[in-house]
Amino acid sequence: MIVNKSYKFRIFPNKKQIELTNKTIGCVRFTFNFFLSKQKNKDAYWYIVEEMVQNGQLPANNWKGKCLNKYETVKAIPELKKQYSFLKEVDSIALQKSVENLADSFERYYKKQNKYPRFKSKKNPVQSYTTKHTNGNMAIEGNYIKLPKLGLVRFAKSREVHGKILNATIRRNSSGKYFVSIGTEVEVTEMPKTESAIGIDVGLKDFAILSDGTTYSNPKFFRTLEEKLAKLQRIMSRRTVGGTNWYKAKRKVACIHEKITNARNDYLHKISTDIVKNHDVIGMEDLSVSNMLKNHNLAKAISEVSWSEFKTIIEYKAKWYGKQVVTVAKNFPSSQLCSCCGYQNKDVKNLGLREWECPKCHTHHQRDINAGQNLKNEALRLLTVGATEIA
């Protein structure tokens, strides 16, 4: 199976490469904003034309559409370079990619998939640009990566890059560190079948509880660094905004957030790979996390565990390796049902009730393991219904 896969590494550019990277980021932002302003003017113009057509002041065939043509816009970049000579110093493919991204944003906007595109700001903490692989302008050479215009850049090679390189995104984080994400096209092979099905119940005390009793703890990465983060934020608040010491304090705060994010992502990838590797069918509940965050008593704890990200990782890894994820409806009472006889005990709605005994079959249940077993049973039922086409 051919899939798109990305590899993220930290890069260590020298002074000249840092200067050129920052310049490329600025030029890409400038190009994006330039054509966005043109589009906004065109939108205003076509709004007047459309209104005149509706009022009968102009024939209907004079209205030809609202969106700038992507290919004609790309062709306009050389003319833009003549007007702004600094655009000639950076990677031309990165400029073309920014125009393509703008066109994609408008296409999604007119399909009602996202809001109207906004101007890019240099004040954003994360800045990046994307370039494509053409004519061997990207390659891995030992502990160096070859990038357009930048040449060979040293990077932290934590693993081998497999597959055909398609593109690269160079990013400068708020911590001041530089990273490259290499997009590749790679062939993945299915993992061996285990003939095992599992249900996953996610929680706050323990991160994930499987129907077979396996428990993955909740490390609470944010809570472990919360005091240190609060201290650095207090120091930052006492600095003059925009001053040298303020930027130093801001970078330290960003480093703490980055450390928390990296630790959480590493944990999610490790346990998701372990689950996908050992089970063929995985039942998961379709949680409405955005609604759950409205509970201000639990919002911090819920946002810390990243259930949505965990589900996303499980789904694409299962797709890669020939496994199946079955999403159970959010209204399915997984915690209330007895996994042995199916009796629904509404008293279990109380989150403080961690263990209970079924009044019907007298089976003793541990709340989370029982929920995982119900999710597993429901996932297998949905698979059977789908296979036999039973309504």
Side-chain angles (χ1 to χ4, degrees):
M1 180 180 178
I2 304 296
V3 301
N4 290 334
K5 199 171 184 179
S6 64
Y7 298 85
K8 183 179 178 181
F9 304 101
R10 184 179 176 185
I11 58 176
F12 303 93
N14 56 36
K15 289 184 179 180
K16 289 185 178 180
Q17 291 168 338
I18 288 175
E19 183 181 351
L20 185 55
T21 299
N22 294 337
K23 189 175 290 186
T24 305
I25 289 172
C27 290
V28 165
R29 182 174 60 245
F30 173 83
T31 306
F32 184 94
N33 292 343
F34 179 85
F35 287 108
L36 176 56
S37 65
K38 293 288 185 181
Q39 177 67 56
K40 281 199 168 188
N41 292 336
K42 188 175 182 181
D43 279 349
Y45 166 73
W46 281 117
Y47 177 79
I48 296 170
V49 171
E50 187 177 12
E51 189 176 14
M52 293 177 71
V53 170
Q54 292 175 352
N55 295 335
Q57 298 173 340
L58 284 176
N61 58 4
N62 277 25
W63 192 87
K64 296 182 180 179
K66 292 183 178 181
C67 201
L68 284 170
N69 185 285
K70 176 170 66 175
Y71 303 103
E72 291 184 0
T73 308
V74 170
K75 291 179 182 178
I77 292 179
E79 292 297 324
L80 190 64
K81 287 182 178 180
K82 293 179 182 179
Q83 186 178 356
Y84 302 98
S85 58
F86 58 84
L87 296 177
K88 299 178 182 179
E89 303 175 24
V90 302
D91 181 16
S92 59
I93 301 176
L95 301 180
Q96 295 174 13
K97 185 63 179 175
S98 68
V99 172
E100 293 175 8
N101 290 341
L102 177 61
D104 292 339
S105 297
F106 273 108
E107 186 177 347
R108 291 193 298 270
Y109 167 71
Y110 288 120
K111 290 180 180 178
K112 307 298 182 182
Q113 294 176 354
N114 65 317
K115 295 182 180 179
Y116 195 89
R118 296 183 298 175
F119 290 106
K120 292 184 180 294
S121 171
K122 64 180 180 181
K123 294 183 180 180
N124 288 340
V126 178
Q127 300 282 344
S128 66
Y129 72 90
T130 301
T131 183
K132 297 179 183 178
H133 177 252
T134 54
N135 300 323
N137 61 351
M138 295 182 201
I140 306 295
E141 299 181 11
N143 291 329
Y144 289 84
I145 178 172
K146 180 183 176 184
L147 294 170
K149 288 285 185 176
L150 297 179
L152 293 176
V153 184
R154 187 167 65 90
F155 75 111
K157 191 177 181 181
S158 55
R159 53 179 173 164
E160 294 294 332
V161 177
H162 300 286
K164 176 185 175 184
I165 297 178
L166 301 177
N167 54 58
T169 299
I170 292 82
R171 178 178 288 107
R172 185 186 69 222
N173 282 359
S174 54
S175 60
K177 299 175 184 176
Y178 290 84
F179 293 86
V180 60
S181 295
I182 306 169
T184 64
E185 193 176 64
V186 62
E187 184 175 358
V188 295
T189 56
E190 293 187 358
M191 287 183 173
K193 300 297 182 182
T194 61
E195 305 299 329
S196 171
I198 205 75
I200 305 176
D201 182 61
V202 293
L204 297 177
K205 182 180 179 182
D206 294 310
F207 177 76
I209 303 91
L210 308 189
S211 56
D212 61 2
T214 304
T215 301
Y216 295 96
S217 62
N218 181 9
K220 298 183 179 179
F221 298 107
F222 177 77
R223 298 298 175 96
T224 56
L225 293 170
E226 188 175 14
E227 289 186 9
K228 187 175 182 180
L229 178 63
K231 181 179 178 181
L232 290 173
Q233 287 175 330
R234 286 196 298 271
I235 293 173
M236 179 180 167
S237 68
R238 292 195 291 267
R239 300 290 183 257
T240 302
V241 176
T244 303
N245 289 331
W246 181 80
Y247 278 110
K248 288 180 181 179
K250 183 182 179 183
R251 190 173 292 112
K252 289 180 180 179
V253 170
C255 285
I256 295 294
H257 281 294
E258 189 176 278
K259 186 175 182 179
I260 294 169
T261 302
N262 291 341
R264 183 186 296 125
N265 288 340
D266 180 67
Y267 185 69
L268 293 179
H269 279 287
K270 283 178 178 176
I271 65 176
S272 60
T273 300
D274 184 57
I275 292 172
V276 171
K277 182 179 179 180
N278 294 315
H279 306 286
D280 292 344
V281 179
I282 303 167
M284 299 186 72
E285 190 173 1
D286 184 19
L287 294 173
S288 180
V289 178
S290 58
N291 289 335
M292 297 172 72
L293 289 173
K294 294 176 182 179
N295 183 344
H296 299 296
N297 294 324
L298 299 175
K300 182 188 290 187
I302 291 172
S303 60
E304 183 181 10
V305 289
S306 300
W307 290 332
S308 297
E309 181 68 16
F310 177 62
K311 187 172 184 290
T312 300
I313 295 173
I314 287 274
E315 287 175 338
Y316 75 70
K317 286 186 178 180
K319 185 178 179 181
W320 284 358
Y321 302 120
K323 305 303 178 75
Q324 194 162 9
V325 175
V326 181
T327 302
V328 179
K330 64 182 71 176
N331 58 356
F332 178 72
S334 58
S335 299
Q336 302 173 36
L337 294 177
C338 172
S339 56
C340 296
C341 66
Y343 174 81
Q344 184 172 355
N345 184 1
K346 295 187 178 181
D347 293 337
V348 189
K349 286 184 177 181
N350 179 12
L351 295 177
L353 184 63
R354 307 311 303 172
E355 297 184 12
W356 59 284
E357 183 176 310
C358 176
K360 188 175 181 181
C361 66
H362 303 289
T363 304
H364 186 78
H365 293 297
Q366 201 281 337
R367 179 192 184 94
D368 298 326
I369 296 177
N370 176 66
Q373 290 173 341
N374 285 324
L375 290 171
K376 169 190 169 182
N377 296 337
E378 180 66 8
L380 293 174
R381 187 191 72 81
L382 292 172
L383 284 178
T384 305
V385 169
T388 57
E389 297 183 358
I390 300 174

